[in-house]
Amino acid sequence: MEGGKRACVIGAGGFIASWIVAKLLDRGYKVHGTVRDPDDDEKYGHLKKLPGAGERLSLFRADVLDYESLVPAVRGCDVVFHTACPVAHKFEDPDAVLKPAMDGTRNVMEACHKENIKRVVFTSSGAAIIFDPNRPQDQIIDESCWSDPEACRKYEDWYRLAKTESEKLVSKLGDEFGIHVVVICPVVVLGPILQSKINASVGLVAILMNGSKTSYPNTYFGLVDVRDVAEAHIAGYEDPNASGRYICIACSKLCKEMIDALKENFPQYSYPDQCEGETTQGNSFKKMSNKKILSLIKEFIPYEKMLVDTVASLQEKGLL
Ligand SMILES: NC(=O)c1ccc[n+]([C@@H]2O[C@H](COP(=O)([O-])OP(=O)(O)OC[C@H]3O[C@@H](n4cnc5c(N)ncnc54)[C@H](OP(=O)(O)O)[C@@H]3O)[C@@H](O)[C@H]2O)c1
């Protein structure tokens, strides 16, 4: 037990946030979870069923675009985990992601400031780090690296732009308000889902298995298990030495390597068998360093377990 600590998780029903809530409850925290509609049991019913939820989870109706709704949710908390941001493979309308990312982050930080919150853990992304076309190919990618906002705009990569700019904003507001901000930057997050519907990153695995694709990209993916991502967030609060941003990557694998591992464990599914393109794109994930985060997480869940547990959870929920 953590001595009755109280934590708020903004966007509690999401894939990563649900695991943060589960692990906080498991450690004895009292948890305030914000969701946009607490009565939507299809979307949030899984939270109410988590061990400890009956006694120590309160769901608050709050939207990151509505400052007033956030204030009661963060009130009295020792820490706020801000995870809420839409995730999709492509956003046609920049505002669909920029607005919740930027206005949402400002509202969360202003609510924290009003309620005198001293620590915030913010979910950024490898997307805020990876994309800089001018970076030398062989450069090690560590926490000093940022995605280039101009390049994001040029290629209309609104998600990467939103994660880059919102991370800069949260750090700036943290300095301004005297709030200690720790930032976790996960790459593609896999692992078992707690929620009832499939989310974008786990959807990548389903797409490789459901027969909808005949070809796969010749690219590397940086991967990490959601349970490790949740641990990193909590350590970002509990470890008094935690500060700044942390790249959260366990390994990088070619899409072909993922398909081979999936095929070996789940031969009954239908996999794409043609490789798109001759050259390997996305090599930069191979250059990402997880040195810093090893002070927060001692070891990562092995890659094969991550894949097998992802698929098992999709099967269990009838999503494959
Ligand atoms: N999954 C990954 O591979 C990955 C990798 C790196 C970083 N991240 C980051 O991790 C965080 C959570 O992602 P996830 O994978 O857990 O995605 P998810 O399951 O799709 O969850 C997204 C969360 O954001 C909230 N949200 C979305 N649009 C919103 C809006 N307009 N206003 C208020 N809340 C909104 C959702 O709330 P509702 O429940 O109300 O819809 C939900 O709680 C995001 O910040 C994402 O950028 C994810």
Side-chain angles (χ1 to χ4, degrees), residues 16 184 186 189 224-234 248 297:
I16 295 173
I184 307 296
V189 184
V224 64
D225 191 289
V226 66
R227 293 161 289 190
D228 288 334
V229 175
E231 286 293 338
H233 278 75
I234 297 172
C248 193
I297 304 179

Side-chain angles (χ1 to χ4, degrees), residues 178-253:
I179 298 172
H180 184 76
V181 176
V182 171
V183 177
I184 307 296
C185 300
V187 287
V188 173
V189 184
L190 301 180
I193 67 170
L194 296 175
Q195 78 279 7
S196 61
K197 291 217 172 117
I198 204 159
N199 61 292
S201 57
V202 169
L204 286 172
V205 172
I207 284 167
L208 295 177
M209 303 180 76
N210 63 13
S212 63
K213 290 234 168 237
T214 53
S215 63
Y216 56 86
N218 194 1
T219 186
Y220 279 92
F221 288 99
L223 303 173
V224 64
D225 191 289
V226 66
R227 293 161 289 190
D228 288 334
V229 175
E231 286 293 338
H233 278 75
I234 297 172
Y237 164 59
E238 289 183 345
D239 184 337
N241 297 317
S243 76
R245 60 201 311 235
Y246 291 84
I247 293 177
C248 193
I249 179 170
C251 60
S252 66
K253 296 285 172 188

Side-chain angles (χ1 to χ4, degrees), residues 82 88 126 174 237 266 274 290 313:
H82 176 26
Y237 164 59
F266 304 100
Q274 284 163 39
N290 61 12
S313 85

